[in-house]
């Protein structure tokens, strides 16, 4: 991911928690499940092990990621300005940039396929010449963890914990690699929106999508949740550490682990889950349900979105 540029304190907007709102959410019963990488395929720095049992209370989670249309309603109602808009630039994948050359400000160190583009934001996800006009039912992107928190407060929801997210993504299956099983393309059928071809230069788009797909593309998992892997990375409430699971060792089962929702220092990385349309096993095999990644709270990019959760009530 592109390295974040530190922002100053947030603007005058202060979200006031709305009444709990379960609209668009699926109720999951919780219970005990096995969390982590049972195949030994994860990256060591991501901390996908050790595998351990987690017990969750019942909770609610959105059937889809938050759409451009829903985020636009939030902005219209509140006047909220996202971190990327405040900064005036954001990260865009090099093959999808829609901007004049003067607005391409540089490349990310170590990941040169990410460009810093002036004017890229949730309204203009691939640069100032792009638009969400035809993407109302696509996931909102170019939103930071801070932006997701603000939306959740307005919507009467919250971000899912990392444990809730993985339980939901598994869709009732125990120990599988993907929400639908262990094979990426059962019977030759694509089940999620990821990269096909040679990364990062040629995407054959065999799954039908070069960038984001509508939020109800492909098949929902066993819980009726759409696109839990691929399409866009999804923010979780938790702060990230590679040794999170190791610290839990011996607590069997761990009960409803929850990362802090607020970090006064604003410095701790936050968990992202699910991978995105740019994931490919040659460099980012993170479209598995156990895969973990992270970014700073103010970071945004053209492949980062979120879905909301709620207490069961």
């Amino acid at each position: 991911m592109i390295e974040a540029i530190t922002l100053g304190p947030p603007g005058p907007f202060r979200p006031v928690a709305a009444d709990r709102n379960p609209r668009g959410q699926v109720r999951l019963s919780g219970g005990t499940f096995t969390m982590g990488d049972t195949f030994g395929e994860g990256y060591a720095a991501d901390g996908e092990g050790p595998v351990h049992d987690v017990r969750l209370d019942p909770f609610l989670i959105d059937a889809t990621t938050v759409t451009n249309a829903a985020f636009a309603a939030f902005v219209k109602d509140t006047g909220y300005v996202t971190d990327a808009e405040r900064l005036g630039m954001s990260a865009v994948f090099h093959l999808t940039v829609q901007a004049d050359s003067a607005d391409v400000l540089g490349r990310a160190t170590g990941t040169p396929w990410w460009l810093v583009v002036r004017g890229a934001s949730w309204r203009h996800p691939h640069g100032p010449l792009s638009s969400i006009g035809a993407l109302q039912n696509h996931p909102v992107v170019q939103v930071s963890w801070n932006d997701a928190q603000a939306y959740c407060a307005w919507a009467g929801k919250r971000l899912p914990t990392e444990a809730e997210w993985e339980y939901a993504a598994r869709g009732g299956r125990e120990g599988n690699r993907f929400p639908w099983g262990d094979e990426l393309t059962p019977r030759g059928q694509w089940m999620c929106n990821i990269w096909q071809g040679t990364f990062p230069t040629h995407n054959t788009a065999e799954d039908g999508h070069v960038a984001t797909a509508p939020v109800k593309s492909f098949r929902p998992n066993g819980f009726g949740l759409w696109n839990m892997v691929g399409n866009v990375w999804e923010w979780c409430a938790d702060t990230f550490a590679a040794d999170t699971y190791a610290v839990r060792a011996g607590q069997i089962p761990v009960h409803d682990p929850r990362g802090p929702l607020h970090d006064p220092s604003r410095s701790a990385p936050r968990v992202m889950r699910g991978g995105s349309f740019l994931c490919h096993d040659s460099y980012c095999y993170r479209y598995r349900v156990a895969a973990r990644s992270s970014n700073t709270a103010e970071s945004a990019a053209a492949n980062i979105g979120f879905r909301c959760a709620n207490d069961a009530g």
Side-chain angles (χ1 to χ4, degrees), residues 63-68 135-140 209 212-220 225-228 231-232 306-307:
T64 73
T65 49
V66 174
T67 64
N68 283 311
L135 305 176
Q136 294 300 295
N137 63 340
H138 284 234
V140 65
H209 306 282
T212 59
V215 296
K216 287 191 174 180
S217 299
F218 306 98
R219 297 179 181 176
L225 309 176
W226 301 80
N227 292 333
M228 291 297 298
N231 216 25
V232 295
F306 67 102
R307 76 179 69 216

Side-chain angles (χ1 to χ4, degrees), residues 3 69 82 111 181 212 224 241 267 309:
E3 187 174 346
T82 63
T111 53
T212 59
S267 62

Side-chain angles (χ1 to χ4, degrees), residues 227-248:
N227 292 333
M228 291 297 298
V229 297
N231 216 25
V232 295
W233 284 104
E234 300 183 18
W235 290 112
C236 293
D238 307 57
T239 55
F240 176 88
D243 64 353
T244 296
Y245 297 179
V247 170
R248 293 176 188 170

Side-chain angles (χ1 to χ4, degrees), residues 167-259:
Y167 174 88
R170 291 188 177 279
R173 291 176 172 269
E174 186 73 17
N176 283 133
R177 182 179 282 116
F178 306 115
W180 55 86
D182 293 333
E183 186 180 351
L184 179 59
T185 55
R187 298 177 297 281
Q189 182 176 7
W190 285 100
M191 305 292 286
C192 64
N193 178 20
I194 56 174
W195 185 280
Q196 296 92 42
T198 303
F199 187 87
T201 57
H202 180 60
N203 187 351
T204 62
E206 293 172 21
D207 61 14
H209 306 282
V210 174
T212 59
V215 296
K216 287 191 174 180
S217 299
F218 306 98
R219 297 179 181 176
N221 72 3
F223 288 152
L225 309 176
W226 301 80
N227 292 333
M228 291 297 298
V229 297
N231 216 25
V232 295
W233 284 104
E234 300 183 18
W235 290 112
C236 293
D238 307 57
T239 55
F240 176 88
D243 64 353
T244 296
Y245 297 179
V247 170
R248 293 176 188 170
Q251 305 175 41
I252 302 175
V254 181
H255 178 223
D256 207 21
R258 292 176 180 263

Side-chain angles (χ1 to χ4, degrees), residues 48-102:
E48 294 182 30
V51 174
H52 58 293
D53 288 342
V54 171
R55 179 165 56 89
L56 294 178
D57 295 332
F59 65 99
L60 307 176
I61 192 165
D62 288 356
T64 73
T65 49
V66 174
T67 64
N68 283 311
F71 199 81
F74 157 61
V75 170
K76 181 178 180 180
D77 188 50
T78 63
Y80 182 79
V81 179
T82 63
D83 280 343
E85 290 172 302
R86 293 174 56 223
L87 186 61
M89 64 188 80
S90 196
V92 181
F93 185 67
H94 71 127
L95 296 183
T96 65
V97 171
Q98 297 179 47
D100 293 331
S101 58

